[in-house]
């Protein structure tokens, strides 16, 4: 299911449906909460490695209890993980997880930042991590984040002193933070950054410790806590009607693609942070002790504070707009504050409060969701002053364009004013897409050359409407991104980002095309129009040895949003080969080779991602037996389509349809990744799967996980098997074939060392580490410095058929077009019946 309806009663989300760009309309209590945060001049930065590593309880506590400006620096975007709600993997998963982090921050009140590090998959040691990441570059990104965000306090999620005991990314994040703490204030370190920012020295560095790092709760109780600050993060906020833990649970539940939806929690709860650098506060509950967090912190700030503290003390919840003259006076004084960091930050916060307190609604909605460089679009403007305060709307302009009008009219109480502006999109406008994906990076790093973009969670919007409004004798400029505001009968009111896209994009239906023999294949290429009345040609670019039937084909599409599919016939070379094909659109003198990928879920804004349009083509000499394969879907993967590529007919099996004898028609059955973890009904159907094997079927079960506390899945296999956290992360690690004579290695394809070349991201994960004597381990592999792992591929005869358990990452290798992975999977599907255990040799 591609769309998820998520219900919130959070402090920042008033609608049950989370929609992109929905304007915040805060109540009096929420405005007061913002005012409290406006009057606190302290900053805290939480640092970890991935989405979901962050402690939302602590981030919410820092933001909502202490009122600090709070940020989370996630070194990666979680690109290397799995996806429980859809098919997005790698860079597309990183885009989704970025948006889930932003959704979490909208709830817990934090801000979100990233480095350029690419989550290349599980790493067992920081030495490996920092080599693949390029330590100096990622360290520079952490220094940059500290210099820009200027945290007084930094909190690491992980311990920098324990390399090799947890994910290498985790330890690396703490090591880099520990080093950057002092480097950020060194003018000789990353001196090129100082053209855009200045040095900064945080006051304290903490490690967010817990019993988990000590091995047990009992050990943690006995630990020396004299160097730890103790925080009760279970506090209740009457002004918000929620406890800190309830807010935190809503925030962490945004990580849906990782299965982090959880129940809200209430009640007192202790959190501990261990001091690593700086002075220990005497009051362990006040991590800002000794740091001036008042308006007196900045030169000229006391006068601003005198006004704003008075507003806070005497805030009128029934008529908050009465404070507007005081807020405007404070705004005037704030513009004279010398400190550019606090002046800019607090000016934006104060402007938001002024708009909220007066019920000022400003919107710039494009008539369509997208446009092209050089094109035009009508933008509908709405402005409403829902207070008795006198205002005048002087000018409206749109950034990066010449669009501008000067209404110069009063905004009367609750009277809606509307206008139209024609926005001419400059021809030089860049397409809307994640900035870190615009250029090809490396295994460990995204390529971003613009220093100003580094750290930003997403690409800044190309067009922002600016409203010049005069109130209390002062002109204040309010900014709103241009959006697309519309309604659908089955969805209601919707807000969507306004985007700039090429006039057309092209895509292949399949990202990997397997030619199991020398026969030609028809290759459909779908062109999608992003403008009206487009007309051009499409070429299929290919490498030497591959042949296409025609050099180009003409196309013509009348309506924006419509598609046309052209079919080319591609003939592979005689010998085995791996290559790529790309569609080239020739349109109005331009060449376009981009594919548009849309990521749409209800809990995050819709994302448009432009990627190079290409497909991997693989010529294989592959043999197989059987035809009809049953597939039980697990946590989501592309294995079914990969099997279709080599000629299998794949039938998706719904667990509720499994009954005695219903599976006998299949030549083999494959269970998708983590199916036993995510499909509750499977445990009630296991006896039928075992019956299928006993009656002569082949059952292939792909990896599952034991619980975090080591609880095993029951009845997973016909004989005892114990899952572990063993994994081999080096995709180039040496493979030893233990059962060389076993049919899995010989029929119908002979498997050798070359078939384990070109694997991506890892060999496999969550291998069993114990199994009964009935199983034959087929392969052995290990990462550097570790003992051999023999549980990646286990097979046993059972009755007339065969049961196979594999932790090999076929869900990554098959969609990547790895030839050897296809041959090995075909052997598993084709395994002869009544195969007896084979001795290792």
């Amino acid at each position: 299911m591609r769309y998820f309806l998520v219900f919130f009663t959070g402090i920042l989300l008033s609608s049950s449906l989370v929609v992109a760009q929905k304007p915040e309309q805060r109540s009096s209590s929420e405005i007061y909460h913002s005012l409290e945060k406006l009057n606190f001049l302290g900053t805290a930065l939480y640092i970890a490695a991935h989405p979901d590593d962050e402690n939302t309880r602590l981030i919410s506590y820092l933001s909502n209890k202490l009122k600090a400006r709070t940020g989370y620096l996630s070194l990666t975007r979680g690109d290397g993980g799995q996806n429980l709600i859809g098919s997005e993997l790698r860079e597309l998963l990183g885009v989704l997880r970025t948006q889930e982090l932003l959704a979490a921050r909208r709830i817990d009140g934090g801000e979100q930042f990233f480095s350029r590090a690419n989550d290349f998959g599980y790493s067992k040691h920081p030495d490996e991590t920092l080599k693949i990441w390029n330590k100096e570059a990622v360290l520079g990104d952490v220094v940059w984040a500290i210099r820009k965000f200027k945290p007084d306090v930094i909190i690491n999620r992980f311990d920098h002193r324990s390399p090799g005991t947890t994910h290498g990314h985790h330890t690396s994040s703490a090591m880099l933070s520990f080093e950057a703490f002092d480097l950020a204030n060194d003018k000789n370190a990353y001196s090129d950054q100082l053209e855009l920012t200045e040095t900064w020295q945080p006051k304290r560095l903490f490690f967010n410790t817990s019993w988990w790092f000590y091995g047990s709760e009992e050990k943690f109780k006995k630990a020396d806590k004299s160097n730890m600050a103790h925080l009760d993060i279970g506090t209740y906020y009457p002004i918000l009607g929620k406890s800190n833990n309830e807010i935190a649970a809503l925030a962490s539940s945004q990580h849906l693609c990782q299965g982090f939806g959880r129940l809200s929690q209430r009640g007192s709860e202790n959190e501990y942070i261990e001091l690593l650098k700086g002075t220990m506060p005497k009051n362990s509950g006040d991590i800002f002790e000794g740091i001036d967090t008042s308006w007196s912190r900045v030169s000229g700030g006391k006068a601003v504070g005198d006004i704003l503290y008075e507003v806070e003390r005497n805030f009128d919840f029934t008529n908050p707009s009465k404070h507007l003259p005081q807020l405007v006076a404070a705004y005037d004084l704030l513009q004279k504050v010398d400190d550019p960091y606090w002046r800019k930050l607090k000016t934006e916060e104060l402007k938001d409060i002024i708009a909220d307190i007066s019920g000022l609604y400003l919107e710039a909605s494009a008539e369509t969701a997208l446009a092209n460089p050089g094109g035009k679009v009508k933008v509908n403007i709405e402005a409403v002053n829902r207070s008795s305060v006198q205002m005048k709307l002087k000018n409206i302009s749109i950034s990066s364009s010449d669009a501008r009008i000067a209404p110069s009219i009063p905004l009367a109480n609750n009277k809606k004013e509307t206008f139209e502006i024609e926005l001419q999109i400059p021809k030089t406008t860049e397409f809307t897409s994640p900035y870190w994906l615009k250029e090809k990076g490396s295994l460990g790093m995204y390529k971003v050359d613009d220093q100003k973009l580094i750290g930003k969670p997403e690409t800044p919007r190309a067009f922002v409407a600016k409203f010049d409004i005069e109130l209390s004798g002062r002109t204040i400029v309010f900014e709103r991104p241009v959006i697309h505001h519309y309604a659908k009968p089955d969805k209601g009111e919707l807000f969507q980002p306004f985007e700039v896209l090429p006039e057309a994009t092209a895509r292949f239906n399949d990202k990997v095309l397997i030619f199991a023999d020398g026969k030609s294949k028809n290759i459909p290429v779908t062109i999608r129009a992003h403008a009206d009345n487009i007309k051009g040609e499409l070429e299929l670019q290919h490498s030497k040895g591959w042949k296409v039937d025609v050099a180009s084909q003409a196309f013509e599409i009348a309506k924006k949003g419509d598609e046309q599919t052209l079919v080319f016939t591609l003939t592979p070379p005689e010998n085995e080969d791996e290559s790529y094909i790309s569609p080239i659109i020739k349109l109005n003198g331009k060449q376009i080779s981009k594919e548009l990928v849309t990521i749409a879920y209800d809990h995050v804004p819709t994302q448009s991602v432009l990627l190079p349009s290409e497909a991997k083509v693989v010529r294989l000499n592959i043999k197989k037996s059987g035809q009809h394969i049953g597939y039980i879907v697990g946590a989501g993967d592309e294995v079914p389509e990969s099997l279709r590529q080599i000629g299998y007919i794949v039938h998706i099996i719904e667990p509720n349809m499994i009954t005695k004898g219903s599976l006998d028609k299949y030549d083999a059955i494959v269970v998708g990744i983590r199916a036993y973890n995510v499909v509750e009904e499977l445990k009630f159907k296991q006896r039928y799967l075992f019956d299928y094997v006993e009656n002569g079927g082949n059952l292939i079960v792909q990896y599952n996980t034991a619980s975090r506390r080591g609880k095993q899945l029951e009845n997973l296999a016909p004989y005892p098997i114990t899952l572990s956290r063993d994994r081999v992360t080096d995709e180039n690690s040496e493979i030893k074939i233990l059962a060389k004579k076993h049919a899995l290695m010989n029929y119908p394809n002979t498997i050798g060392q070359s078939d384990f070349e070109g694997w991506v991201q890892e060999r496999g994960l969550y291998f069993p580490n114990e199994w009964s004597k009935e199983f034959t381990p087929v392969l052995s592999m290990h990462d550097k410095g570790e003992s051999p792992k023999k549980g990646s591929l286990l097979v046993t005869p059972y009755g007339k058929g065969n049961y196979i358990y594999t932790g090999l990452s076929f869900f990554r290798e098959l969609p990547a077009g790895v030839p050897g992975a296809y041959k090995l999977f075909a052997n598993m599907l084709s395994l002869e019946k009544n195969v007896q255990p084979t001795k290792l040799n």
Side-chain angles (χ1 to χ4, degrees):
M1 184 177 180
R2 292 290 298 175
Y3 294 89
F4 289 78
L5 193 59
V6 184
F7 291 93
F8 296 107
T9 53
I11 60 175
L12 298 179
L13 302 173
S14 58
S15 171
S16 62
L17 182 63
V18 183
V19 288
Q21 308 294 319
K22 183 175 177 63
E24 293 179 12
Q25 300 180 61
R26 293 183 281 195
S27 66
S28 291
S29 60
E30 291 166 345
I31 294 170
Y32 179 77
H33 187 62
S34 298
L35 184 60
E36 291 179 306
K37 297 174 81 169
L38 177 67
N39 283 334
F40 188 91
L41 279 69
T43 307
L45 182 63
Y46 198 87
I47 298 180
H50 310 108
D52 87 0
D53 283 345
E54 83 274 26
N55 184 340
T56 56
R57 299 182 303 274
L58 192 50
I59 290 176
S60 178
Y61 180 89
L62 294 168
S63 176
N64 297 303
K65 173 63 176 177
L66 301 187
K67 311 300 188 300
R69 183 191 185 197
T70 305
Y72 173 43
L73 172 59
S74 176
L75 295 193
T76 77
R77 297 175 186 267
D79 329 73
Q82 284 89 54
N83 184 356
L84 293 183
I85 63 174
S87 60
E88 293 86 5
L89 290 174
R90 292 302 307 149
E91 67 271 7
L92 295 178
L93 179 59
V95 174
L96 174 57
R97 289 190 171 180
T98 293
Q99 291 302 316
E100 289 187 335
L101 275 173
L102 289 170
R105 299 294 82 78
R106 285 192 290 270
I107 291 173
D108 61 30
E111 300 175 50
Q112 186 62 52
F113 308 101
F114 294 95
S115 81
R116 289 170 292 174
N118 189 345
D119 179 2
F120 55 84
Y122 192 87
S123 175
K124 294 179 177 177
H125 199 280
D127 289 350
E128 177 197 37
T129 298
L130 295 174
K131 181 180 179 181
I132 295 175
W133 272 357
N134 182 347
K135 177 190 173 183
E136 288 305 308
V138 182
L139 178 60
D141 291 355
V142 179
V143 169
W144 171 254
I146 293 172
R147 286 172 172 173
K148 292 288 290 181
F149 194 65
K150 300 187 185 304
D152 299 303
V153 174
I154 296 176
I155 301 175
N156 291 344
R157 182 68 182 100
F158 299 103
D159 190 354
H160 70 287
R161 300 161 295 192
S162 55
T165 60
T166 183
H167 197 324
H169 296 182
H170 293 168
T171 311
S172 295
S173 70
M175 293 168 64
L176 294 173
S177 173
F178 189 86
E179 191 171 348
F181 183 87
D182 295 316
L183 285 179
N185 197 39
D186 182 352
K187 65 181 181 181
N188 296 315
Y190 301 98
S191 56
D192 54 324
Q193 295 180 2
L194 301 179
E195 297 177 7
L196 299 171
T197 187
E198 59 188 2
T199 59
W200 179 256
Q201 182 58 64
K203 304 300 188 297
R204 295 185 178 109
L205 175 66
F206 292 98
F207 158 47
N208 185 192
T209 189
S210 71
W211 69 264
W212 190 87
F213 293 95
Y214 283 75
S216 70
E217 294 185 47
E218 189 63 29
K219 289 181 180 179
F220 188 59
K221 287 179 182 178
K222 297 176 181 178
D224 179 9
K225 298 183 178 63
S226 59
N227 201 38
M228 296 183 192
H230 162 233
L231 311 171
D232 182 356
I233 49 85
T235 185
Y236 177 69
Y237 306 122
I239 199 75
L240 301 176
K242 280 184 176 51
S243 70
N244 188 75
N245 281 344
E246 288 173 308
I247 294 171
L250 286 170
S252 65
S253 290
Q254 300 313 294
H255 297 299
L256 293 181
C257 74
Q258 302 186 73
F260 266 55
R262 63 186 177 95
L263 291 172
S264 296
Q265 298 176 345
R266 285 155 286 278
S268 179
E269 186 175 350
N270 294 324
E271 196 75 49
Y272 292 89
I273 52 176
E274 177 188 352
L275 183 72
L276 301 177
K277 290 189 177 184
T279 57
M280 186 69 185
K282 294 178 181 178
N283 176 5
S284 69
D286 184 6
I287 63 174
F288 285 94
E289 183 182 85
I291 302 171
D292 188 356
T293 58
S294 72
W295 277 101
S296 298
R297 177 173 190 161
V298 295
S299 176
K302 183 179 182 303
V304 179
D306 287 344
I307 297 173
L308 294 178
Y309 292 137
E310 196 277 329
V311 173
E312 182 182 338
R313 284 191 299 269
N314 299 289
F315 188 76
D316 190 331
F317 287 86
T318 60
N319 182 26
S321 64
K322 67 178 284 186
H323 301 293
L324 205 53
Q326 294 166 283
L327 296 178
V328 173
Y331 179 92
D332 270 331
L333 291 173
L334 182 54
Q335 307 317 301
K336 301 171 185 177
V337 166
D338 292 333
D339 189 314
Y341 170 79
W342 288 111
R343 182 176 65 245
K344 181 179 180 181
L345 175 67
K346 294 300 177 180
T347 292
E348 293 306 312
E349 290 183 28
L350 184 51
K351 282 165 59 176
D352 287 342
I353 292 175
I354 289 172
D356 290 335
I357 218 167
S358 60
L360 180 61
Y361 185 88
L362 303 170
E363 179 181 288
S365 175
E367 64 178 344
T368 62
L370 63 91
N372 318 116
K376 296 180 181 179
V377 64
K378 182 174 71 175
V379 179
N380 297 308
I381 302 294
E382 179 180 342
V384 190
N385 166 25
R386 291 173 289 185
S387 74
S388 58
V389 176
Q390 291 187 346
M391 296 185 190
K392 183 178 183 181
L393 176 58
K394 298 171 67 176
N395 302 299
I396 305 170
S397 60
I398 298 179
S399 65
S400 305
S401 76
D402 296 328
R404 181 185 181 90
I405 59 173
S408 195
I409 60 170
L411 291 178
N413 183 14
N414 213 27
K415 181 184 178 184
K416 181 171 73 174
E417 301 290 351
T418 59
F419 312 91
E420 286 184 6
I421 298 180
E422 185 177 78
L423 172 60
Q424 174 74 52
I425 311 293
K427 293 182 179 179
T428 56
T429 303
E430 291 192 1
F431 300 136
T432 302
S433 195
Y435 70 85
W436 63 95
L437 298 179
K438 288 186 177 179
E439 294 189 60
K440 187 175 180 60
S442 65
L443 173 64
M445 296 292 293
Y446 284 117
K447 190 175 188 300
V448 182
D449 294 327
D450 187 346
Q451 184 67 46
K452 293 178 182 178
L453 287 175
I454 292 174
K456 291 184 180 296
E458 55 187 345
T459 307
R461 287 290 156 184
F463 299 104
V464 175
K466 298 182 178 182
F467 299 80
D468 298 349
I469 294 182
E470 183 182 292
L471 64 165
S472 298
R474 173 74 173 182
T475 298
I476 300 177
V477 180
F478 296 91
E479 297 183 350
R480 299 291 185 268
V482 175
I483 59 169
H484 177 51
H485 181 188
Y486 65 109
K488 294 180 70 174
D490 59 337
K491 292 285 186 180
E493 186 176 38
L494 297 171
F495 297 81
Q496 186 173 336
F498 173 70
E499 302 181 326
V500 179
L501 298 176
E503 294 165 282
T505 52
R507 71 178 188 272
F508 294 108
N509 292 341
D510 300 306
K511 295 302 179 187
V512 173
L513 296 159
I514 305 296
F515 291 75
D517 50 37
K519 295 179 181 178
S520 301
K521 281 191 176 185
N522 289 333
I523 311 298
V525 184
T526 301
I527 303 169
R528 184 175 180 84
H530 307 297
D532 291 334
N533 301 314
I534 64 170
K535 191 177 185 180
E537 289 187 341
L538 180 70
E539 290 184 1
L540 189 62
Q541 196 172 62
H542 58 89
S543 61
K544 186 178 180 181
W546 295 79
K547 298 178 181 179
V548 67
D549 59 337
V550 291
S552 66
Q553 295 187 51
F555 69 87
E556 185 173 354
I557 305 176
K559 293 287 188 179
K560 177 165 60 177
D562 285 351
E563 296 182 342
Q564 183 177 345
T565 298
L566 304 178
V567 179
F568 293 84
T569 300
L570 185 66
T571 304
E574 292 183 5
N575 299 321
E576 291 194 346
D577 186 68
E578 296 180 55
S579 186
Y580 288 88
I581 56 174
S582 300
I584 307 296
I585 298 173
K586 293 186 175 181
L587 183 65
N588 298 327
K590 295 173 286 189
Q591 291 191 358
I592 304 169
S593 58
K594 295 290 187 181
E595 172 189 10
L596 174 65
V597 180
T598 301
I599 301 175
Y601 295 94
D602 279 351
H603 66 301
V604 296
T606 298
Q607 298 296 296
S608 294
V609 185
L610 288 171
L611 297 174
S613 185
E614 62 181 16
K616 185 176 182 180
V617 288
V618 181
R619 169 69 168 94
L620 282 180
N621 289 317
I622 189 171
K623 301 174 184 177
K624 61 185 181 64
S625 67
Q627 185 176 20
H628 293 276
I629 307 300
Y631 200 95
I632 300 173
V633 177
D637 60 57
E638 299 176 22
V639 170
E641 184 52 43
S642 298
L643 298 181
R644 293 185 182 106
Q645 286 280 345
I646 56 175
Y648 283 108
I649 299 172
V650 182
H651 308 265
I652 300 301
I653 300 174
E654 297 294 338
N656 63 340
M657 300 301 290
I658 298 175
T659 58
K660 185 174 180 61
S662 67
L663 306 175
D664 294 342
K665 57 189 174 184
Y666 301 114
D667 297 309
I669 292 175
V670 182
V671 181
I673 59 173
R674 297 183 66 181
Y676 292 94
N677 298 132
V678 300
V679 183
E680 182 72 16
E681 193 170 2
L682 261 186
K683 66 182 179 182
F684 304 111
K685 303 294 183 176
Q686 193 71 342
R687 68 183 187 275
Y688 299 127
L689 290 171
F690 291 161
D691 286 345
Y692 166 77
V693 180
E694 194 170 17
N695 292 332
N698 283 345
L699 175 63
I700 300 167
V701 177
Q702 298 180 86
Y703 94 92
N704 285 265
T705 65
S707 73
R708 290 178 180 266
R709 295 183 178 271
K711 183 178 179 182
Q712 290 291 316
L713 294 169
E714 296 180 359
N715 204 29
L716 181 64
Y719 304 113
I721 189 173
T722 302
L723 302 183
S724 74
R725 299 186 70 81
D726 287 351
R727 62 201 302 162
V728 176
T729 62
D730 182 358
E731 62 269 34
N732 299 309
S733 63
E734 181 185 359
I735 300 292
K736 290 185 178 180
I737 300 176
L738 300 176
K740 294 180 181 178
K741 295 182 180 180
H742 197 285
L744 278 182
M745 295 292 104
N746 295 281
Y747 177 81
N749 305 285
T750 301
I751 303 298
Q753 292 295 331
S754 62
D755 292 302
F756 295 97
E757 295 175 0
W759 285 49
V760 298
Q761 187 160 325
E762 64 203 355
R763 290 294 191 192
L765 61 171
Y766 300 111
F767 299 160
N769 61 354
E770 295 180 10
W771 49 86
S772 71
K773 60 182 177 59
E774 287 84 1
F775 283 100
T776 297
V778 178
L779 302 172
S780 175
M781 60 193 73
H782 63 90
D783 282 322
K784 183 179 179 180
E786 293 192 350
S787 62
K789 304 295 184 286
K790 300 179 180 180
S792 65
L793 182 57
L794 302 174
V795 58
T796 180
Y798 182 70
K800 298 178 182 179
N802 302 286
Y803 175 95
I804 300 172
Y805 185 91
T806 180
L808 294 172
S809 59
F810 288 106
F811 72 100
R812 297 193 191 281
E813 311 314 320
L814 298 185
V818 178
Y822 273 92
K823 291 180 180 179
L824 181 54
F825 211 98
N827 281 13
M828 294 193 298
L829 294 171
S830 306
L831 187 58
E832 295 175 318
K833 310 305 187 289
N834 293 311
V835 174
Q836 296 304 310
T838 303
K839 293 182 179 179
L840 304 188
N841 52 44

